[in-house]
Amino acid sequence: MRIRGIVHRRDLPLRGISETERRRLLRQGRVRRVATWYVTPEAPEDLLPILQRGARATCLTAAEHHGLWTPLHSGAHVYRPRGLSPDQLGEEEVGHGRGLRCWPDTDPVAALPLALDHAARCLSAPEAAILFESALHRRKLSMDAVARCVAGLPRTLRTPFSRLSSRAESGTETAVRWWLESLRVTVVPQVWIPAVGRVDLKLGTNWIIECDSVRYHDNLEQFHRDRARDLRLRALGFVVTRLTWEQVFLEWEATSEHLLTALRRRDHRKKLPR
């Protein structure tokens, strides 16, 4: 993936930059050299230490640069050439790859299929699914392209990804749906309810779960729209649960216990009023 403000030295002629021009830009301070790269002030700062060590961004770090919804994480995920040993990575860097003989391209960030391949091997299946489903929802990859990514994985890793859906609209929704499916709960994403519109998840006959997709949701107008929708759903006989990003990714142990309690009562199996 090309990144604005970062050019590999081999690509300078392709950008119309001659050797004389390269030297002039360096003298003027308009670009600086980072290992085999030339960067301008608009280059993302998080990538520069990775490139300086001779590695490149992949997995969760690449997914962020590709514009995907990513779960909470710390540290950078990088893939490395054969000449760079794991102990040469940064203290908080997570290494990927098996020591490539050479880079497949001159881009500073792994192409999305490669980043997803690394994610499937690095993360839990539900975490990797968040990236795959975000790529589908944002039309970064087609379902056929995702299927090819999954087909290249070891058999033990491929099986869970048969549940991937292009209908999930947020990582929060993916995380909750995958947890419910792991319990063999019947759950359908993005269901259309007359007089209400689409809802994130429908469990059984009458339980609607709406998932906030952003941290610290504080849009007052959206808050009022959401509550109006909830009221209409209640009037139709649905039970509505609204989960925040924080409840799913910071307080999941307590959140999942509350959801399990409701599931055990089998309230979601009750018939809707006529």
Side-chain angles (χ1 to χ4, degrees):
M1 177 188 185
R2 289 186 177 182
I3 299 292
R4 184 182 295 274
I6 302 177
V7 181
H8 193 275
R9 65 185 178 189
R10 294 208 305 264
D11 290 339
L12 292 176
L14 299 176
R15 305 291 181 91
I17 300 175
S18 65
E19 181 63 16
T20 300
E21 178 70 3
R22 180 189 69 84
R23 291 175 180 173
R24 184 179 67 81
L25 293 172
L26 286 170
R27 284 197 307 270
Q28 294 175 344
R30 294 172 60 187
V31 301
R32 62 190 174 101
R33 187 169 180 175
V34 176
T36 57
W37 310 84
Y38 289 88
V39 305
T40 68
E42 63 184 339
E45 285 295 326
D46 68 307
L47 293 179
L48 302 188
I50 297 173
L51 298 177
Q52 184 66 62
R53 278 188 279 275
R56 304 194 194 184
T58 190
C59 193
L60 286 163
T61 304
E64 290 177 327
H65 286 279
H66 280 282
L68 302 189
W69 205 104
T70 58
L72 187 66
H73 67 280
S74 60
H77 288 246
V78 304
Y79 73 112
R80 58 186 177 83
R82 180 162 293 183
L84 187 69
S85 64
D87 58 7
Q88 289 178 288
L89 297 177
E91 186 174 336
E92 294 188 359
E93 289 179 346
V94 179
H96 291 266
R98 301 175 180 174
L100 298 173
R101 289 184 181 277
C102 63
W103 298 117
D105 52 46
T106 57
D107 294 339
V109 171
L112 189 50
L114 178 59
L116 292 175
D117 177 271
H118 286 160
R121 298 168 191 268
C122 169
L123 309 175
S124 68
E127 288 174 324
I130 289 174
L131 305 188
F132 277 106
E133 294 194 352
S134 180
L136 288 168
H137 172 64
R138 299 187 180 188
R139 298 184 179 180
K140 301 285 185 177
L141 290 177
S142 67
M143 185 60 85
D144 285 344
V146 167
R148 286 194 294 271
C149 290
V150 172
L153 296 171
R155 182 181 301 176
T156 54
L157 296 179
R158 288 199 301 266
T159 303
F161 297 113
S162 62
R163 294 159 50 193
L164 289 173
S165 170
S166 61
R167 299 167 69 184
E169 294 195 346
S170 74
T172 317
E173 181 186 325
T174 295
V176 174
R177 191 188 89 247
W178 271 60
W179 176 77
L180 290 166
E181 289 174 344
S182 73
L183 300 176
R184 300 188 182 280
V185 175
T186 301
V187 53
V188 184
Q190 297 301 316
V191 175
W192 180 266
I193 306 293
V196 176
R198 281 189 304 169
V199 297
D200 290 341
L201 301 171
K202 180 173 176 283
L203 286 63
T205 56
N206 70 331
W207 191 3
I208 302 298
I209 295 183
E210 297 276 40
C211 304
D212 286 345
S213 62
V214 295
R215 198 173 183 178
Y216 308 127
H217 185 63
D218 60 357
N219 184 314
L220 188 58
E221 184 178 347
Q222 185 63 50
F223 177 89
H224 288 302
R225 283 201 299 267
D226 290 344
R227 271 46 190 190
R229 276 167 51 92
D230 293 352
L231 188 60
R232 290 197 294 273
L233 286 166
R234 293 283 296 179
L236 292 170
F238 290 99
V239 175
V240 183
T241 299
R242 189 168 291 277
L243 298 178
T244 66
W245 181 95
E246 291 78 11
Q247 285 176 304
V248 174
F249 291 104
L250 300 182
E251 305 160 8
W252 181 243
E253 185 175 353
T255 301
S256 60
E257 278 300 317
H258 293 315
L259 294 174
L260 276 172
T261 299
L263 285 169
R264 289 179 184 129
R265 283 201 308 264
R266 301 174 69 84
D267 292 347
H268 60 296
R269 300 293 186 111
K270 294 180 180 178
K271 293 183 179 180
L272 291 172
R274 294 184 178 180

